[in-house]
């Protein structure tokens, strides 16, 4: 049996819209094994137990890419990443399916090849890159249409809290509300902030993170889609943290530099939002992991 474990990912990190992403220690896994039937899927709601399942679609894509026949397969999905909340649940399915097929055929693909296929399926690399490599990823698509990605170590003094509302924000809607153009002035602001943020995360410099994470491209528009945005932000700031919208929301991610502050945010968020899921997490440094059992 093959077991693939994939971290949740938090795209954008404020100023890195569509190009930055962070892998965190919240994991989902998928097991692949031989089956007498063409396809058996367990562990997920009934409506996803068919050949349209994204894990299976990715598995098939990788088999075809490798020029191998698609084997009969039993897929068991154990998902702990909330769906449609901006924590990379579709990146998890895609990366798990691709890596499942890769491991099935003795891993001929390296991570760069996996990333190209995953980006083709996901449409943007900001979640799939950290899902594959771990850490903080910065990615772009080059002139040859290949994905270029670099990774920053995140200082281990930094800790994170996911504040996951009990409601979704549709990515489609969260993209529709964005303006179609931005000025030179705003572009300069954004580039400077994004580069400084990457370094600040590496240094663990929370003051610099607080200043550089302030986004002008999407967060001012998307915060209106999350009714509790300001209240969540206040909770994070009261415990010395800073906060950004994870991916297109609805999850909000707090960054702090002590466990006490992280626990304070968890306690206050659970008190004010008893129906939310709130997790104290760290950065994942491994990315996708495979195990042949
Ligand atoms: N970067 C994308 C967005 C992530 O913010 O729309 C969506 O998962």
């Amino acid at each position: 049996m093959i077991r693939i474990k994939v971290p949740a990912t938090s795209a954008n990190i404020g100023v890195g819209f569509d190009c930055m992403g962070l892998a965190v220690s919240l994991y989902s896994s998928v097991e692949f094994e031989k089956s007498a039937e063409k396809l058996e899927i367990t562990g997920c709601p009934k409506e996803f137990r068919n050949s349209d399942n994204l894990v299976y679609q990715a598995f098939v894509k990788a088999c075809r890419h490798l020029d191998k026949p698609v084997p009969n397969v039993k897929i068991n999905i154990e998902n702990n990443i909330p769906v449609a909340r901006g924590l990379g649940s579709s990146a998890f399915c895609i990366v798990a399916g691709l890596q499942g097929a890769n491991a099935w055929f003795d891993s001929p693909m390296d991570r760069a090849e996996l990333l190209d296929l995953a980006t083709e399926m996901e449409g943007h690399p900001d979640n799939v890159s950290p899902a594959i490599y771990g850490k903080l990823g910065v990615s772009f698509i080059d002139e040859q249409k290949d994905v270029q990605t670099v990774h920053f170590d995140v200082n281990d003094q930094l800790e994170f809290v996911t504040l996951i509302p009990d409601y979704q924000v549709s990515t489609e809607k969260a993209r529709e509300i964005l303006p179609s153009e931005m000025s030179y002035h705003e572009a300069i602001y954004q580039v400077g902030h994004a580069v400084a943020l990457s370094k600040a995360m590496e240094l663990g410099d929370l003051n610099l993170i607080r200043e550089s994470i302030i986004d002008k491209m999407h967060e001012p528009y998307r915060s209106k889609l999350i009714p509790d945005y300001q209240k969540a932000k206040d909770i994070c700031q009261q415990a010395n943290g800073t906060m950004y919208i994870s991916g297109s929301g609805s999850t909000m991610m707090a960054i702090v530099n002590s466990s006490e502050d992280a626990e304070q945010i968890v306690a206050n968020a659970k008190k004010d939002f008893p129906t939310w899921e709130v997790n104290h997490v760290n950065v994942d440094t491994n990315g996708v992991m495979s195990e042949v059992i």
Side-chain angles (χ1 to χ4, degrees):
M1 183 212 286
I2 292 163
R3 189 159 209 268
I4 309 292
K5 184 173 138 193
V6 184
T9 49
S10 173
N12 302 333
I13 322 180
V15 282
F17 181 65
D18 271 3
C19 51
M20 281 168 71
L22 185 71
V24 295
S25 59
L26 175 66
Y27 300 96
S28 289
S29 56
V30 181
E31 290 161 355
F32 298 86
E33 57 187 316
K34 286 184 184 150
S35 170
E37 292 171 39
K38 184 172 183 284
L39 174 63
E40 278 179 88
I41 302 181
T42 54
C44 64
K46 214 169 172 189
E47 66 262 36
F48 301 118
R49 295 185 205 162
N50 55 53
S51 60
D52 291 334
N53 183 292
L54 193 52
V55 174
Y56 184 65
Q57 292 280 315
F59 183 84
V60 169
K61 183 175 176 82
C63 293
R64 300 224 163 104
H65 176 80
L66 294 170
D67 226 357
K68 302 282 188 192
V70 181
N72 287 359
V73 63
K74 177 168 185 226
I75 296 176
N76 181 42
I77 301 171
E78 199 185 299
N79 184 21
N80 300 307
I81 305 173
V83 175
R85 294 294 200 291
L87 283 171
S89 58
S90 64
F92 147 62
C93 293
I94 291 169
V95 170
L98 294 173
Q99 179 62 359
N102 192 32
W104 191 289
F105 295 110
D106 300 324
S107 301
M109 285 193 278
D110 62 10
R111 289 179 186 233
E113 204 170 346
L114 273 180
L115 179 60
D116 281 337
L117 289 184
T119 304
E120 235 176 76
M121 288 191 78
E122 174 92 323
H124 48 86
D126 51 353
N127 286 102
V128 290
S129 167
I132 292 171
Y133 289 90
K135 304 184 182 180
L136 188 169
V138 180
S139 315
F140 66 93
I141 297 175
D142 70 18
E143 298 285 316
Q144 288 71 44
K145 306 259 182 279
D146 290 325
V147 185
Q148 299 282 351
T149 192
V150 293
H151 301 95
F152 290 81
D153 286 321
V154 174
N155 194 289
D156 55 20
Q157 286 184 353
L158 296 177
E159 305 195 18
F160 300 80
V161 179
T162 58
L163 295 97
I164 311 172
D166 53 358
Y167 47 84
Q168 303 183 348
V169 166
S170 118
T171 299
E172 210 185 341
K173 197 166 169 199
R175 294 186 82 87
E176 259 171 25
I177 57 157
L178 303 179
S180 50
E181 291 178 0
M182 68 190 289
S183 67
Y184 258 78
H185 181 75
E186 284 166 332
I188 294 162
Y189 171 101
Q190 206 72 21
V191 172
H193 280 64
V195 175
L197 177 66
S198 310
K199 190 66 186 174
M201 295 281 276
E202 202 176 65
L203 295 172
D205 182 340
L206 192 58
N207 285 331
L208 186 56
I209 292 172
R210 226 178 248 125
E211 292 301 325
S212 57
I213 205 164
I214 302 168
D215 169 71
K216 290 196 173 177
M217 268 181 95
H218 68 110
E219 206 155 314
Y221 309 96
R222 290 174 163 181
S223 56
K224 297 184 178 67
L225 301 175
I226 305 173
D228 301 297
Y229 174 85
Q230 193 53 50
K231 196 166 174 194
K233 195 168 188 163
D234 292 344
I235 289 174
C236 297
Q237 288 177 342
Q238 278 153 15
N240 309 310
T242 186
M243 188 197 90
Y244 67 90
I245 298 175
S246 184
S248 56
S250 55
T251 294
M252 290 155 282
M253 181 77 86
I255 310 178
V256 292
N257 61 4
S258 82
S259 294
E260 291 72 30
D261 289 339
E263 287 305 322
Q264 183 71 53
I265 292 172
V266 171
N268 291 346
K270 282 188 170 163
K271 184 152 58 72
D272 284 357
F273 303 112
T275 55
W276 290 19
E277 191 183 321
V278 184
N279 303 301
H280 178 179
V281 294
N282 293 303
V283 171
D284 168 87
T285 54
N286 297 311
V288 62
M289 304 279 279
S290 322
E291 205 184 343
V292 181
I293 302 162

